[in-house]
Amino acid sequence: MRAAVVTAAEFEVAELPTPRPGAGQLLIDVSRCGICGSDLHARTHADELSDLAVATGYEHFMRSDQSVVLGHEFSGTIVDYGPDCRRRWRTGTPVVALPIVRHGEQPHLVGLSTAAPGGYAEQVVVQESMTMPVPNGLSAEHAALTEPMAVAWHAVRRGRVGKGQTAFVIGCGPIGLAVISMLKAAGVRTVVASDFSPRRRELATACGADVVVDPAAESPWTAAPRKGRINGVTDILALGFDAMDRLRRVPNLPWWYVFRLAHTLNKGPSGPVIFECVGVPGIIDQILAAAPPLSRVVVVGVCMETDRFHPAMAINKEIELRFVLGYDPGEFRDTLHMLADGKVDPGPLITGTVGLDGVADAFTALGNPERHAKILIDPRASGAALI
């Protein structure tokens, strides 16, 4: 098969042996494969990522001197099964799969390990138990975005955003756009998006953001609706006085039980939920300094450098800070069906398609936020042109 192989940050298209599925695995023909931001990082910072993976307990992440087939956002059709499979679906069935396989007891990340070549190829091996048929005639292009949209869905779920809360999305690259789409799918009524790039702001609007701002000209925090908002610590103190004044008017009321019940039901005053989707040093500190009290900050952007922030600022505002990664199989399945049922339209994210011969140029093009968000690879397209 043909595949785009990266070695020491350089791509070449090579003829590789046809992959052979092992026990519990199947082989699929790749229909489309997305280029992920983590692929861009892995190409040039593989050793740093590998060191980080080892520190967190995963020892099989690619190294820069290894030859690797990237690609973990893919859709395809079933070609063949390995041994010990249940053969749940017929050959030719369109499928997607979580990008993880197991050799013996060892898990390997598809497209990020030499032991699990990815979807920048005509064929890829996946785990049968992690494979799901594509429902409702969902296109191969949109099905390939199940993986990145599942990352966003996991972030939204971890953010626990109420429909009446304001959600801020700081950074409108591919993951920020996916988060916007998933917030609107979850029924969040007010989504404020912020990005310096005019093109990305345009895409944020297409993905459903209610308010879109250029932070060079306007603060996202003042652009949001102000009704009922907690703007400072004095607002929280005022709420305490108001609550106690009302409760004390009720004779013989054990008012402290009201506070206990509010804590149990998590119904106390709260700020907005903020999704950090930039991933560069200094952003978290900027958000902590500017965000309203009682905010929840969900860090989705992957910062690969050492960062600094002021804990005392977050403490005084009682800001909750959460970091998220990936998704679980249930979230992956639910995302697939949200796409297939038309609850989420990933179309605005797709800004180009390229064949295997054009992968290197696609990586270069993705460095310009005014041109592209998500580029898909069609392994059987001829030529290197980006369309």
Side-chain angles (χ1 to χ4, degrees):
M1 69 169 186
R2 296 178 78 240
V5 182
V6 64
T7 312
E10 297 297 325
F11 279 104
E12 67 170 343
V13 178
E15 288 285 344
L16 301 180
T18 300
R20 297 181 61 183
Q25 298 173 348
L26 53 88
L27 180 67
I28 68 172
D29 278 337
V30 177
S31 300
R32 295 290 188 277
C33 183
I35 298 175
C36 177
S38 60
D39 294 340
L40 303 182
H41 284 302
R43 179 194 185 187
T44 54
H45 301 287
D47 293 326
E48 296 171 54
L49 290 167
S50 185
D51 290 341
L52 178 63
V54 170
T56 56
Y58 178 70
E59 300 180 353
H60 306 290
F61 200 94
M62 61 183 282
R63 291 279 180 180
S64 60
D65 61 348
Q66 296 174 325
S67 296
V68 179
V69 181
L70 296 172
H72 56 273
E73 305 175 356
F74 49 80
S75 64
T77 55
I78 295 174
V79 175
D80 196 11
Y81 288 89
D84 301 326
C85 284
R86 294 186 60 184
R87 297 179 176 267
R88 291 175 171 86
W89 311 284
R90 294 180 178 178
T91 300
T93 299
V95 294
V96 293
L98 278 75
I100 184 168
V101 296
R102 188 158 61 178
H103 301 321
E105 294 300 316
Q106 291 294 319
H108 295 273
L109 302 178
V110 174
L112 295 169
S113 167
T114 56
Y120 291 13
E122 292 178 329
Q123 295 181 317
V124 67
V125 169
V126 296
Q127 206 76 24
E128 185 186 32
S129 61
M130 296 290 185
T131 301
M132 303 171 195
V134 174
N136 295 351
L138 182 67
S139 70
E141 290 81 5
H142 287 190
L145 293 192
T146 302
E147 199 277 344
M149 298 302 285
V151 172
W153 182 233
H154 175 73
V156 169
R157 291 187 70 250
R158 290 283 291 150
R160 300 186 182 279
V161 193
K163 293 182 179 181
Q165 280 183 290
T166 298
F168 291 86
V169 179
I170 309 302
C172 300
I175 193 60
L177 296 173
V179 167
I180 293 168
S181 298
M182 286 305 196
L183 284 166
K184 298 309 294 184
V188 178
R189 290 191 285 274
T190 305
V191 177
V192 179
S194 172
D195 200 289
F196 290 102
S197 162
R199 173 61 169 154
R200 287 182 172 179
R201 294 198 299 273
E202 176 187 328
L203 292 173
T205 299
C207 288
D210 301 283
V211 181
V212 180
V213 302
D214 176 0
E218 180 182 11
S219 167
W221 317 108
T222 58
R226 302 186 67 84
K227 184 179 180 181
R229 242 176 62 183
I230 297 172
N231 297 302
V233 173
T234 53
D235 291 339
I236 299 175
L237 298 175
L239 284 173
F241 278 112
D242 293 343
M244 287 300 291
D245 285 345
R246 292 189 181 96
L247 292 171
R248 290 288 198 175
R249 292 172 190 163
V250 182
N252 302 318
L253 175 70
W255 54 266
W256 53 93
Y257 283 111
V258 176
F259 281 87
R260 291 178 188 174
L261 181 62
H263 293 156
T264 300
L265 299 177
N266 195 28
K267 293 298 183 182
S270 62
V273 182
I274 302 160
F275 295 86
E276 189 280 289
C277 300
V278 180
V280 300
I283 293 295
I284 293 176
D285 195 51
Q286 291 177 26
I287 289 173
L288 295 180
L294 303 180
S295 295
R296 179 178 298 125
V297 179
V298 183
V299 181
V300 195
V302 181
C303 179
M304 288 303 301
E305 301 175 55
T306 300
D307 202 357
R308 299 178 61 183
F309 62 84
H310 294 81
M313 181 65 74
I315 289 168
N316 278 284
K317 293 183 179 183
E318 202 162 291
I319 289 176
E320 182 179 344
L321 190 59
R322 292 186 175 187
F323 295 82
V324 298
L325 172 72
Y327 41 78
D328 63 39
E331 291 168 329
F332 191 92
R333 180 267 176 202
D334 289 346
T335 299
L336 172 63
H337 282 260
M338 291 167 74
L339 295 172
D341 293 343
K343 296 178 180 178
V344 179
D345 177 16
L349 276 74
I350 302 172
T351 54
T353 302
V354 71
L356 293 173
D357 295 299
V359 168
D361 289 341
F363 269 60
T364 300
L366 285 166
N368 183 353
E370 297 306 320
R371 292 185 60 191
H372 288 286
K374 176 68 66 176
I375 294 176
L376 298 181
I377 298 169
D378 177 356
R380 286 168 181 78
S382 59
L386 182 60
I387 58 174

